[in-house]
Amino acid sequence: MRIISAKDYQDVSRKAANIIASQVILKPNCVLGLATGSSPVGTYQQLIAKYEAGELDFSQVRTVNLDEYVGLTADHDQSYAYFMRHNLFDHVNIDQANTNIPCGVEPDAEKECARYDAVIESMGGVDLQLLGLGPNGHIGFNEPCDEFVPGTHRVELTEATINANARFFESMDDVPRFAYTMGIRGIMQADKVLMVVNGANKAQAVKDCFFGSVTPQAPGSILQLHKNFTLVADEAALSLVKDLL
Ligand code: F6R
């Protein structure tokens, strides 16, 4: 585990984008595992800027996203499919046929999860997986629970996650209760994992996940066992562990 301390959100985003850019330069047809949420938005902006400056070519890049809300169509403005187009795909020269996100409106969970695991496998695995961290320590939508779930699965979101996501929806009732998420195996099998974390509201999760025991109650803690895991976090997110670095 490598921890890179950044000054603030901008600095987190710049450092993370440089790491992703080097992956794309070294392997132009790489598979990027991508995340949504507010944490990676700045990273995506930096990648777009590098593309616009002629420094990056996404034409051969393939992507696989972590998760999608159950019940939202790809056109819904809070779906993760919409988020990815809006925050990255529409602004770079990626072939959108090479981008993958679970289908939120497939009602047969078993079928959709098996399809998604097969997609990941058919791509030959993920070269670099980008992650955020939930305030409760979740990665993807692998919520705190009694055991790690390996494959893509349908998950009931915890109250904490529903509350954290409510800011993006008009009312509490509109916040989806279920999601499809890549499982712990999909994440752990990535060659490299890069996590971006900022803000004091993540400080406890950072401490629990990376300075405590490996436990499914703090799902991100499994990354302590990953062979090539890099955490890029700002000072606020590292505030509870600064004496341990
Ligand atoms: C998003 C995802 C989630 C988020 C996490 C942090 O695809 O899988 O695990 O990374 O909920 O969200 P933000 O960045 O909004 O604090």
Side-chain angles (χ1 to χ4, degrees), residues 35-39 66-67 132-134 138-140 167 202:
T36 59
S38 42
S39 308
L66 281 168
D67 40 22
L133 182 67
H138 73 212
I139 48 174
R167 67 191 194 274
K202 303 283 177 74

Side-chain angles (χ1 to χ4, degrees), residues 34-40 65-67 80 131-135 138-142 161 165 167-168 181 196 198 201-202:
L34 297 177
T36 59
S38 42
S39 308
N65 260 77
L66 281 168
D67 40 22
Y80 286 167
L131 294 177
L133 182 67
H138 73 212
I139 48 174
F141 274 135
N142 292 273
T161 298
N165 290 347
R167 67 191 194 274
F168 300 115
T181 183
V196 284
N198 67 284
N201 67 325
K202 303 283 177 74

